[in-house]
Amino acid sequence: MENKSAASNFIKTIMMDDLKEGRVTNVMTRFPPEPNGYLHIGHARAITINFELADEFGGKTNLRFDDTNPLKEDVEFVKSIQEDIKWLGFEWDGLYFASDYFEEMYNRALVLIKKGLAYVDDQSADAIRETRGTLTQPGKESPFRSRTIEENLDLFTRMRAGEFKDGERVLRAKIDMASPNINMRDPVIFRISHTHHHNTGDKWCIYPMYAFAHPLEDSIEGVTHSLCSLEFEDQRPFYDWVIRETEMPHVSRQYEFGKLKIAGTIMGKRYIKRLVETGVLDGWNDPRVFTISGMRRRGFTPEGIKSFIREAGVSKSNGTVDPRMLEHFIREDLKLKAPRTMGVLKPLKVVITNYPEGQVEMLDAEVNAEVPEMGMRKIPFSREIYIEQDDFMENPVPKYHRLFPGNEVRLKHAYFIKCEEVVKDEAGNVVELRCTYDPETKSGTGFTGRKVKGTIHWVEATSAVPVEFRLYDQLVADKTDEEEEGEGGDDLLSAINPKSLEIVQGFIDPGIKDVQPEDKFQFFRHGYFCVDSQTSTPDKPVFNLTVSLKSSFSV
RNA sequence: UACCCCUUCGCCAAGUGGCAAGGCAGCGGCCUUUGAAGCCGCCAUCCCAGGUUCGAAUCCUGGAGGGGUAGCCA
């Protein structure tokens, strides 16, 4: 069951007060991605925050593609974004495109021009930048700032009609070139771009800028609380200015919250792109990157991801969380859902010398001992089995409970075995163990004659299914800051953890051989694994390590 | 050095003037056919300095530290 009663946060407080004081009569939020890339866990957080906050107050949430820049957008992404949101388990109320509002936006710009609050500027982009001033010095007014309303109306109409080339003119809001807030120094609100748009085709050659478009989009849809990240704080005065001066009937309000990074991973689009191009990652859905598709392929669950997001909270400070917190919630969700079975990653053969040759017996095992309703299954046992290489030490370290010469351990679901002999190759490597078993110690018989300290997992040798295991670790060190890894992420390549992916060939219990992509299991004493959706085949299953089990022991 | 924002346990984060929630991590112990899980217990006086107040993490003033903003990107 998902925990939905997360702690309070400042946005929830604002919504509650707004409702109580009658400033709003309902809550309406929106998730407004630009369709220019794949969603990642940061988006999952924005999605969860928007949808669940609205839901908590009986409100609604729209999905709105903020597609005001045709140069960067593609339908490919409008599809993948919708799939990702659905996979997370959210249903949007309305599905909209900012580009559907272009006509309305154009008309609102006309309102501004008629009020003398917008003008067409013929200056070049460079000239505009140079006269904007700096952080400490005011800007200079454009020589075109005092054009008449008629002239502006004429020019803007002709901009729309396609009479000018890209960059020749822009429409600017007329506010205050000396404002200490640079966003108020006559920001550009429409630019010319003769570019095909994925939704509007070639109907438009002028496109509104985000800062002008967004408040209008929100207002048109009746959004009450427009949530965005901290870097938009300085744009709020302009957001309010647009709604007020264009005389939009519905007043939306913008609130900003901090982004939450996860240590040890890369989130930036350009960096992931770089790593995909150089072959470090095998795609945008590589299980090591926290794109939604990557997490899905890794075996993370929507419920686990959402629990993590709720528990991490929302505030006005930017933070970085320990990836172990995310892992905790993934484990917690998988704990009662995933069947538990045995898989040996690094096999070591064991021959049970006193077990009858040729005999195979079927042992009973719970599918998940914590969930009896999941039932029982049978697993084969015989004279030859594989155990984990790490579960044997010829010269055991102190407190080692596993197998070593002369020691007895329990084989999960089976018998006690005792290590009698170690077989080595010429190089001195241990290649086989010869053990004896005690029939009286069979699991389920209630044997209490003696106790052993260790229980280890195993698979029967003749029926074991060969599989590939892909073990993942953090992509980069905890403190790696992608922003500081050189132009284009050059230095990022050397920051990659060489152990972020380790591939091993092992065996699993034959009981689960007919696996489907994304099927999830817990392999005893290892962790949760998920059948890889890209490379697994019926002949050679491939399992991704979703998250390992915790361990208080290490050699 | 212009404007805006932030500063509570190792990491997230509640708290909105009345004696510091919770989660993760960590540390003990119990239990255990996963060294898992589970269970029990431990783990901060709130960046600093003044001030207001019977009383301040919460209000005020001044510092310090961190972040954001100068796209015809979003």
Side-chain angles (χ1 to χ4, degrees), chain A residues 140-308:
Chain A
K140 292 187 180 62
E141 297 190 351
S142 165
F144 302 96
R145 198 174 198 262
S146 51
R147 281 216 249 239
T148 64
I149 290 173
E150 291 65 34
E151 196 177 356
N152 283 318
L153 245 18
D154 173 60
L155 253 14
F156 188 51
T157 307
R158 290 163 60 194
M159 276 171 64
R160 175 180 184 172
E163 290 188 28
F164 310 115
K165 297 197 194 78
D166 290 7
E168 257 181 26
R169 285 176 227 267
V170 292
L171 183 69
R172 289 229 253 174
K174 189 194 280 190
I175 308 178
D176 176 9
M177 287 307 290
S179 171
N181 181 347
I182 295 180
N183 294 287
M184 299 298 269
R185 317 234 267 231
D186 292 9
V188 172
I189 58 180
F190 263 95
R191 79 284 217 180
I192 298 170
S193 181
H194 293 268
T195 306
H196 187 81
H197 187 283
H198 76 94
N199 184 38
T200 58
D202 297 312
K203 181 177 179 194
W204 294 88
C205 62
I206 55 173
Y207 293 95
M209 297 289 290
Y210 166 87
F212 179 67
H214 210 86
L216 296 179
E217 296 159 22
D218 287 338
S219 179
I220 290 167
E221 292 176 21
V223 168
T224 53
H225 303 261
S226 179
L227 313 182
C228 63
S229 47
L230 249 27
E231 69 263 34
F232 293 98
E233 269 176 327
D234 289 347
Q235 287 190 22
R236 190 173 49 215
F238 185 63
Y239 181 102
D240 293 337
W241 185 93
V242 170
I243 289 184
R244 185 176 66 248
E245 299 301 349
T246 61
E247 298 170 20
M248 291 298 288
H250 181 270
V251 178
S252 302
R253 296 273 179 217
Q254 171 182 298
Y255 300 94
E256 312 84 13
F257 63 87
K259 286 183 176 171
L260 226 221
K261 289 185 191 169
I262 294 178
T265 189
I266 298 297
M267 223 90 92
K269 223 177 306 201
R270 54 195 281 225
Y271 306 103
I272 295 176
K273 186 160 184 277
R274 192 72 209 279
L275 296 174
V276 171
E277 284 166 356
T278 53
V280 173
L281 300 175
D282 77 358
W284 288 86
N285 62 351
D286 188 289
R288 287 167 288 179
V289 313
F290 291 179
T291 50
I292 296 197
S293 53
M295 293 191 290
R296 177 176 181 172
R297 184 173 163 199
R298 172 83 169 253
F300 288 6
T301 58
E303 294 73 20
I305 293 168
K306 287 187 281 188
S307 294
F308 161 71

Side-chain angles (χ1 to χ4, degrees), chain A residues 103-117:
Chain A
E103 190 68 44
E104 168 89 24
M105 293 173 185
Y106 175 82
N107 288 138
R108 294 293 164 177
L110 253 22
V111 170
L112 252 24
I113 293 173
K114 288 174 185 160
K115 291 169 79 173
L117 292 176

